[in-house]
Short mmCIF file of all heavy atoms in Angstrom, two decimals:
data_model
loop_
_atom_site.label_atom_id
_atom_site.label_comp_id
_atom_site.label_asym_id
_atom_site.label_seq_id
_atom_site.Cartn_x
_atom_site.Cartn_y
_atom_site.Cartn_z
N LYS A 142 -4.97 11.95 10.30
CA LYS A 142 -3.89 11.51 9.42
C LYS A 142 -3.50 10.06 9.72
O LYS A 142 -3.25 9.27 8.80
CB LYS A 142 -2.69 12.43 9.55
CG LYS A 142 -2.90 13.80 8.94
CD LYS A 142 -1.66 14.67 9.04
CE LYS A 142 -1.88 16.04 8.41
NZ LYS A 142 -0.68 16.92 8.53
N GLN A 143 -3.42 9.68 10.99
CA GLN A 143 -3.11 8.30 11.36
C GLN A 143 -4.18 7.36 10.81
O GLN A 143 -3.85 6.31 10.25
CB GLN A 143 -3.03 8.14 12.87
CG GLN A 143 -1.79 8.66 13.53
CD GLN A 143 -1.84 8.51 15.05
OE1 GLN A 143 -2.81 8.86 15.67
NE2 GLN A 143 -0.76 7.94 15.61
N PHE A 144 -5.41 7.75 10.99
CA PHE A 144 -6.52 6.89 10.54
C PHE A 144 -6.48 6.76 9.01
O PHE A 144 -6.66 5.63 8.49
CB PHE A 144 -7.84 7.48 10.99
CG PHE A 144 -9.02 6.65 10.59
CD1 PHE A 144 -9.29 5.43 11.20
CD2 PHE A 144 -9.91 7.09 9.61
CE1 PHE A 144 -10.37 4.67 10.84
CE2 PHE A 144 -10.99 6.33 9.24
CZ PHE A 144 -11.24 5.11 9.84
N ALA A 145 -6.27 7.85 8.31
CA ALA A 145 -6.20 7.81 6.85
C ALA A 145 -5.07 6.91 6.37
O ALA A 145 -5.22 6.14 5.41
CB ALA A 145 -6.05 9.21 6.27
N LYS A 146 -3.91 6.97 7.06
CA LYS A 146 -2.77 6.14 6.69
C LYS A 146 -3.09 4.64 6.88
O LYS A 146 -2.73 3.80 6.06
CB LYS A 146 -1.54 6.51 7.52
CG LYS A 146 -0.83 7.75 7.08
CD LYS A 146 -0.18 7.54 5.71
CE LYS A 146 0.60 8.77 5.26
NZ LYS A 146 1.16 8.59 3.89
N ILE A 147 -3.82 4.35 7.95
CA ILE A 147 -4.21 2.95 8.22
C ILE A 147 -5.17 2.45 7.15
O ILE A 147 -5.07 1.33 6.66
CB ILE A 147 -4.80 2.84 9.63
CG1 ILE A 147 -3.69 2.96 10.67
CG2 ILE A 147 -5.54 1.51 9.80
CD1 ILE A 147 -4.17 3.04 12.10
N ILE A 148 -6.13 3.27 6.79
CA ILE A 148 -7.10 2.88 5.75
C ILE A 148 -6.38 2.72 4.41
O ILE A 148 -6.68 1.80 3.63
CB ILE A 148 -8.24 3.91 5.65
CG1 ILE A 148 -9.02 3.96 6.96
CG2 ILE A 148 -9.17 3.58 4.48
CD1 ILE A 148 -9.64 2.64 7.39
N GLN A 149 -5.43 3.59 4.14
CA GLN A 149 -4.63 3.48 2.90
C GLN A 149 -3.85 2.17 2.89
O GLN A 149 -3.81 1.45 1.89
CB GLN A 149 -3.68 4.65 2.79
CG GLN A 149 -2.84 4.66 1.50
CD GLN A 149 -1.83 5.79 1.50
OE1 GLN A 149 -1.40 6.27 2.55
NE2 GLN A 149 -1.41 6.21 0.31
N PHE A 150 -3.26 1.84 4.04
CA PHE A 150 -2.52 0.57 4.17
C PHE A 150 -3.44 -0.63 3.95
O PHE A 150 -3.11 -1.57 3.22
CB PHE A 150 -1.85 0.48 5.53
CG PHE A 150 -1.61 -0.92 6.01
CD1 PHE A 150 -0.62 -1.70 5.42
CD2 PHE A 150 -2.37 -1.48 7.03
CE1 PHE A 150 -0.40 -3.00 5.83
CE2 PHE A 150 -2.16 -2.76 7.45
CZ PHE A 150 -1.15 -3.55 6.84
N GLN A 151 -4.64 -0.58 4.56
CA GLN A 151 -5.57 -1.68 4.40
C GLN A 151 -5.99 -1.85 2.94
O GLN A 151 -6.20 -2.96 2.45
CB GLN A 151 -6.82 -1.48 5.28
CG GLN A 151 -6.66 -2.00 6.69
CD GLN A 151 -6.45 -3.50 6.72
OE1 GLN A 151 -7.13 -4.27 6.03
NE2 GLN A 151 -5.53 -3.97 7.54
N SER A 152 -6.14 -0.75 2.24
CA SER A 152 -6.46 -0.80 0.83
C SER A 152 -5.37 -1.51 0.06
O SER A 152 -5.63 -2.34 -0.83
CB SER A 152 -6.62 0.62 0.27
OG SER A 152 -6.73 0.62 -1.12
N SER A 153 -4.12 -1.22 0.42
CA SER A 153 -2.99 -1.86 -0.28
C SER A 153 -2.90 -3.35 0.04
O SER A 153 -2.57 -4.15 -0.84
CB SER A 153 -1.67 -1.18 0.11
OG SER A 153 -1.26 -1.49 1.41
N ILE A 154 -3.23 -3.73 1.26
CA ILE A 154 -3.15 -5.15 1.64
C ILE A 154 -4.25 -5.95 0.92
O ILE A 154 -4.05 -7.11 0.58
CB ILE A 154 -3.23 -5.31 3.18
CG1 ILE A 154 -2.42 -6.54 3.62
CG2 ILE A 154 -4.63 -5.42 3.67
CD1 ILE A 154 -2.28 -6.64 5.14
N ASN A 155 -5.38 -5.30 0.68
CA ASN A 155 -6.43 -5.99 -0.08
C ASN A 155 -6.04 -6.14 -1.55
O ASN A 155 -6.28 -7.17 -2.19
CB ASN A 155 -7.74 -5.16 0.00
CG ASN A 155 -8.32 -5.20 1.39
OD1 ASN A 155 -8.10 -6.15 2.14
ND2 ASN A 155 -9.08 -4.17 1.75
N LYS A 156 -5.40 -5.11 -2.12
CA LYS A 156 -4.96 -5.18 -3.49
C LYS A 156 -3.84 -6.21 -3.71
O LYS A 156 -3.69 -6.77 -4.78
CB LYS A 156 -4.45 -3.79 -3.96
CG LYS A 156 -5.51 -2.72 -4.09
CD LYS A 156 -4.93 -1.40 -4.57
CE LYS A 156 -5.98 -0.36 -4.83
NZ LYS A 156 -6.60 0.15 -3.60
N LEU A 157 -3.08 -6.44 -2.67
CA LEU A 157 -1.94 -7.34 -2.74
C LEU A 157 -2.36 -8.77 -3.11
O LEU A 157 -1.62 -9.51 -3.73
CB LEU A 157 -1.18 -7.35 -1.40
CG LEU A 157 0.21 -7.98 -1.37
CD1 LEU A 157 1.16 -7.27 -2.33
CD2 LEU A 157 0.77 -7.94 0.07
N THR A 158 -3.57 -9.14 -2.71
CA THR A 158 -4.05 -10.50 -2.99
C THR A 158 -4.83 -10.59 -4.30
O THR A 158 -5.34 -11.66 -4.63
CB THR A 158 -4.94 -10.95 -1.82
OG1 THR A 158 -6.05 -10.06 -1.68
CG2 THR A 158 -4.16 -11.00 -0.51
N GLN A 159 -4.93 -9.49 -5.00
CA GLN A 159 -5.68 -9.49 -6.28
C GLN A 159 -4.74 -9.75 -7.46
O GLN A 159 -3.70 -9.11 -7.57
CB GLN A 159 -6.41 -8.15 -6.47
CG GLN A 159 -7.44 -7.85 -5.38
CD GLN A 159 -8.04 -6.48 -5.54
OE1 GLN A 159 -7.86 -5.80 -6.55
NE2 GLN A 159 -8.80 -6.05 -4.54
N SER A 160 -5.11 -10.66 -8.30
CA SER A 160 -4.25 -11.07 -9.39
C SER A 160 -4.17 -10.05 -10.53
O SER A 160 -3.33 -10.18 -11.42
CB SER A 160 -4.74 -12.40 -9.96
OG SER A 160 -6.09 -12.29 -10.40
N ARG A 161 -4.99 -9.00 -10.49
CA ARG A 161 -5.02 -8.06 -11.61
C ARG A 161 -3.79 -7.12 -11.60
O ARG A 161 -3.60 -6.36 -12.55
CB ARG A 161 -6.30 -7.24 -11.65
CG ARG A 161 -6.49 -6.31 -10.47
CD ARG A 161 -7.90 -5.73 -10.51
NE ARG A 161 -8.14 -4.79 -9.41
CZ ARG A 161 -7.91 -3.47 -9.49
NH1 ARG A 161 -7.40 -2.94 -10.57
NH2 ARG A 161 -8.21 -2.69 -8.46
N TYR A 162 -3.00 -7.15 -10.52
CA TYR A 162 -1.82 -6.28 -10.45
C TYR A 162 -0.57 -7.06 -10.86
O TYR A 162 -0.36 -8.21 -10.48
CB TYR A 162 -1.68 -5.74 -9.05
CG TYR A 162 -2.72 -4.73 -8.68
CD1 TYR A 162 -3.87 -5.14 -8.01
CD2 TYR A 162 -2.58 -3.39 -9.01
CE1 TYR A 162 -4.87 -4.20 -7.69
CE2 TYR A 162 -3.56 -2.46 -8.67
CZ TYR A 162 -4.69 -2.87 -8.03
OH TYR A 162 -5.66 -1.96 -7.72
N ASP A 163 0.27 -6.40 -11.67
CA ASP A 163 1.47 -7.06 -12.20
C ASP A 163 2.71 -6.91 -11.28
O ASP A 163 3.65 -7.69 -11.38
CB ASP A 163 1.81 -6.49 -13.59
CG ASP A 163 0.72 -6.79 -14.60
OD1 ASP A 163 0.12 -7.87 -14.51
OD2 ASP A 163 0.48 -5.94 -15.46
N SER A 164 2.71 -5.89 -10.42
CA SER A 164 3.91 -5.65 -9.61
C SER A 164 3.56 -4.92 -8.33
O SER A 164 2.46 -4.32 -8.20
CB SER A 164 4.93 -4.83 -10.41
OG SER A 164 4.43 -3.51 -10.63
N LEU A 165 4.49 -4.91 -7.38
CA LEU A 165 4.33 -4.15 -6.14
C LEU A 165 4.24 -2.66 -6.43
O LEU A 165 3.53 -1.94 -5.74
CB LEU A 165 5.49 -4.44 -5.19
CG LEU A 165 5.55 -5.83 -4.57
CD1 LEU A 165 6.77 -5.92 -3.66
CD2 LEU A 165 4.30 -6.16 -3.80
N LEU A 166 4.97 -2.21 -7.45
CA LEU A 166 4.92 -0.80 -7.81
C LEU A 166 3.52 -0.39 -8.19
O LEU A 166 3.02 0.65 -7.80
CB LEU A 166 5.90 -0.53 -8.97
CG LEU A 166 5.89 0.89 -9.52
CD1 LEU A 166 6.27 1.91 -8.43
CD2 LEU A 166 6.85 1.03 -10.71
N ASP A 167 2.85 -1.25 -9.00
CA ASP A 167 1.48 -0.93 -9.43
C ASP A 167 0.55 -0.85 -8.24
O ASP A 167 -0.32 0.05 -8.18
CB ASP A 167 0.97 -2.01 -10.41
CG ASP A 167 1.70 -1.97 -11.74
OD1 ASP A 167 2.29 -0.92 -12.04
OD2 ASP A 167 1.67 -2.97 -12.47
N ILE A 168 0.70 -1.78 -7.29
CA ILE A 168 -0.15 -1.79 -6.09
C ILE A 168 0.11 -0.52 -5.26
O ILE A 168 -0.83 0.15 -4.84
CB ILE A 168 0.13 -3.04 -5.22
CG1 ILE A 168 -0.29 -4.30 -5.98
CG2 ILE A 168 -0.60 -2.96 -3.89
CD1 ILE A 168 0.12 -5.59 -5.29
N GLY A 169 1.37 -0.19 -5.07
CA GLY A 169 1.74 0.98 -4.28
C GLY A 169 1.19 2.27 -4.88
O GLY A 169 0.61 3.09 -4.20
N LEU A 170 1.38 2.42 -6.18
CA LEU A 170 0.91 3.63 -6.84
C LEU A 170 -0.62 3.73 -6.83
O LEU A 170 -1.17 4.80 -6.61
CB LEU A 170 1.43 3.68 -8.29
CG LEU A 170 2.95 3.83 -8.46
CD1 LEU A 170 3.35 3.76 -9.93
CD2 LEU A 170 3.44 5.14 -7.83
N ASP A 171 -1.29 2.60 -7.06
CA ASP A 171 -2.76 2.62 -7.06
C ASP A 171 -3.31 2.87 -5.66
O ASP A 171 -4.43 3.33 -5.52
CB ASP A 171 -3.28 1.30 -7.63
CG ASP A 171 -4.75 1.35 -7.98
OD1 ASP A 171 -5.18 2.38 -8.55
OD2 ASP A 171 -5.48 0.40 -7.68
N SER A 172 -2.50 2.56 -4.64
CA SER A 172 -2.93 2.79 -3.26
C SER A 172 -2.57 4.19 -2.79
O SER A 172 -2.82 4.53 -1.62
CB SER A 172 -2.30 1.76 -2.34
OG SER A 172 -2.67 0.44 -2.73
N GLY A 173 -1.91 4.97 -3.66
CA GLY A 173 -1.62 6.37 -3.29
C GLY A 173 -0.24 6.63 -2.71
O GLY A 173 0.04 7.73 -2.23
N PHE A 174 0.65 5.61 -2.74
CA PHE A 174 2.01 5.82 -2.27
C PHE A 174 2.86 6.44 -3.38
O PHE A 174 2.65 6.18 -4.55
CB PHE A 174 2.59 4.49 -1.78
CG PHE A 174 1.90 3.91 -0.61
CD1 PHE A 174 0.93 2.91 -0.77
CD2 PHE A 174 2.19 4.36 0.67
CE1 PHE A 174 0.26 2.37 0.32
CE2 PHE A 174 1.50 3.82 1.77
CZ PHE A 174 0.55 2.84 1.59
N SER A 175 3.83 7.24 -2.95
CA SER A 175 4.62 8.00 -3.92
C SER A 175 5.51 7.12 -4.78
O SER A 175 5.76 7.42 -5.94
CB SER A 175 5.45 9.06 -3.22
OG SER A 175 6.28 8.46 -2.23
N ASP A 176 6.00 6.04 -4.22
CA ASP A 176 6.84 5.10 -4.96
C ASP A 176 6.86 3.76 -4.24
O ASP A 176 6.27 3.59 -3.17
CB ASP A 176 8.27 5.64 -5.14
CG ASP A 176 8.90 6.07 -3.82
OD1 ASP A 176 8.74 5.34 -2.82
OD2 ASP A 176 9.54 7.14 -3.77
N GLN A 177 7.57 2.80 -4.81
CA GLN A 177 7.59 1.45 -4.25
C GLN A 177 8.22 1.40 -2.86
O GLN A 177 7.75 0.70 -1.97
CB GLN A 177 8.31 0.49 -5.19
CG GLN A 177 8.28 -0.95 -4.70
CD GLN A 177 8.79 -1.93 -5.76
OE1 GLN A 177 8.52 -1.76 -6.94
NE2 GLN A 177 9.56 -2.93 -5.34
N SER A 178 9.31 2.15 -2.67
CA SER A 178 10.00 2.13 -1.38
C SER A 178 9.09 2.70 -0.27
O SER A 178 9.10 2.21 0.87
CB SER A 178 11.33 2.89 -1.46
OG SER A 178 11.09 4.26 -1.77
N HIS A 179 8.31 3.76 -0.59
CA HIS A 179 7.38 4.32 0.35
C HIS A 179 6.32 3.28 0.73
O HIS A 179 5.97 3.12 1.92
CB HIS A 179 6.70 5.55 -0.26
CG HIS A 179 5.76 6.24 0.66
ND1 HIS A 179 4.69 7.01 0.20
CD2 HIS A 179 5.64 6.26 2.02
CE1 HIS A 179 4.01 7.48 1.23
NE2 HIS A 179 4.58 7.04 2.34
N PHE A 180 5.82 2.55 -0.23
CA PHE A 180 4.84 1.50 0.00
C PHE A 180 5.41 0.43 0.90
O PHE A 180 4.78 -0.01 1.87
CB PHE A 180 4.39 0.91 -1.35
CG PHE A 180 3.57 -0.34 -1.23
CD1 PHE A 180 2.51 -0.44 -0.35
CD2 PHE A 180 3.85 -1.44 -2.05
CE1 PHE A 180 1.78 -1.60 -0.27
CE2 PHE A 180 3.12 -2.58 -1.97
CZ PHE A 180 2.08 -2.68 -1.08
N ILE A 181 6.63 -0.04 0.61
CA ILE A 181 7.24 -1.11 1.37
C ILE A 181 7.50 -0.68 2.82
O ILE A 181 7.24 -1.43 3.77
CB ILE A 181 8.55 -1.58 0.71
CG1 ILE A 181 8.24 -2.26 -0.63
CG2 ILE A 181 9.33 -2.53 1.63
CD1 ILE A 181 9.46 -2.62 -1.44
N ARG A 182 7.97 0.57 3.02
CA ARG A 182 8.23 1.06 4.37
C ARG A 182 6.94 1.10 5.19
O ARG A 182 6.91 0.69 6.37
CB ARG A 182 8.85 2.46 4.33
CG ARG A 182 10.29 2.51 3.91
CD ARG A 182 10.92 3.87 4.29
NE ARG A 182 10.14 5.00 3.84
CZ ARG A 182 10.27 5.55 2.62
NH1 ARG A 182 11.12 5.04 1.74
NH2 ARG A 182 9.54 6.62 2.29
N THR A 183 5.89 1.62 4.60
CA THR A 183 4.60 1.70 5.29
C THR A 183 4.05 0.32 5.62
O THR A 183 3.59 0.05 6.74
CB THR A 183 3.57 2.47 4.46
OG1 THR A 183 4.07 3.80 4.19
CG2 THR A 183 2.25 2.59 5.20
N PHE A 184 4.13 -0.57 4.66
CA PHE A 184 3.63 -1.94 4.84
C PHE A 184 4.38 -2.63 5.99
O PHE A 184 3.77 -3.28 6.84
CB PHE A 184 3.80 -2.73 3.55
CG PHE A 184 3.00 -3.98 3.47
CD1 PHE A 184 1.74 -3.99 2.90
CD2 PHE A 184 3.48 -5.17 4.02
CE1 PHE A 184 1.00 -5.15 2.84
CE2 PHE A 184 2.74 -6.34 3.97
CZ PHE A 184 1.48 -6.34 3.38
N LYS A 185 5.69 -2.45 6.00
CA LYS A 185 6.51 -3.09 7.04
C LYS A 185 6.22 -2.48 8.42
O LYS A 185 6.25 -3.19 9.44
CB LYS A 185 7.97 -2.94 6.68
CG LYS A 185 8.88 -3.90 7.45
CD LYS A 185 10.28 -3.90 6.88
CE LYS A 185 11.15 -4.90 7.64
NZ LYS A 185 12.54 -4.96 7.06
N ARG A 186 5.90 -1.20 8.47
CA ARG A 186 5.61 -0.56 9.75
C ARG A 186 4.35 -1.19 10.39
O ARG A 186 4.31 -1.37 11.60
CB ARG A 186 5.37 0.93 9.55
CG ARG A 186 5.08 1.71 10.84
CD ARG A 186 4.52 3.09 10.55
NE ARG A 186 5.25 3.76 9.50
CZ ARG A 186 4.73 4.60 8.63
NH1 ARG A 186 3.42 4.89 8.68
NH2 ARG A 186 5.46 5.19 7.72
N TYR A 187 3.36 -1.50 9.57
CA TYR A 187 2.11 -2.02 10.12
C TYR A 187 2.08 -3.53 10.28
O TYR A 187 1.28 -4.06 11.05
CB TYR A 187 0.95 -1.58 9.24
CG TYR A 187 0.63 -0.10 9.33
CD1 TYR A 187 0.65 0.72 8.22
CD2 TYR A 187 0.32 0.47 10.56
CE1 TYR A 187 0.36 2.08 8.30
CE2 TYR A 187 0.05 1.82 10.67
CZ TYR A 187 0.06 2.61 9.52
OH TYR A 187 -0.21 3.97 9.63
#
């Protein structure tokens, strides 16, 4: 589970630099996070 969370986070960090996303919400949802706040909490943890 730890490893999967890290790989999920890395996926989101790669998407963050891609211009095809319009918002943090879109990045978070496409990376499998339940909502934007969940995405931000995880990102900040790592």
Side-chain angles (χ1 to χ4, degrees):
K142 289 182 179 179
Q143 283 178 312
F144 182 71
K146 282 293 183 185
I147 287 173
I148 297 302
Q149 183 185 24
F150 155 71
Q151 272 298 316
S152 171
S153 73
I154 211 171
N155 292 333
K156 291 181 175 71
L157 194 60
T158 59
Q159 298 175 10
S160 58
R161 66 188 181 90
Y162 290 94
D163 297 324
S164 67
L165 291 180
L166 176 60
D167 291 341
I168 295 172
L170 293 176
D171 195 40
S172 301
F174 295 97
S175 56
D176 52 42
Q177 184 170 319
S178 62
H179 182 206
F180 169 46
I181 292 174
R182 285 197 309 272
T183 302
F184 196 94
K185 197 169 182 178
R186 181 194 315 147
Y187 289 122

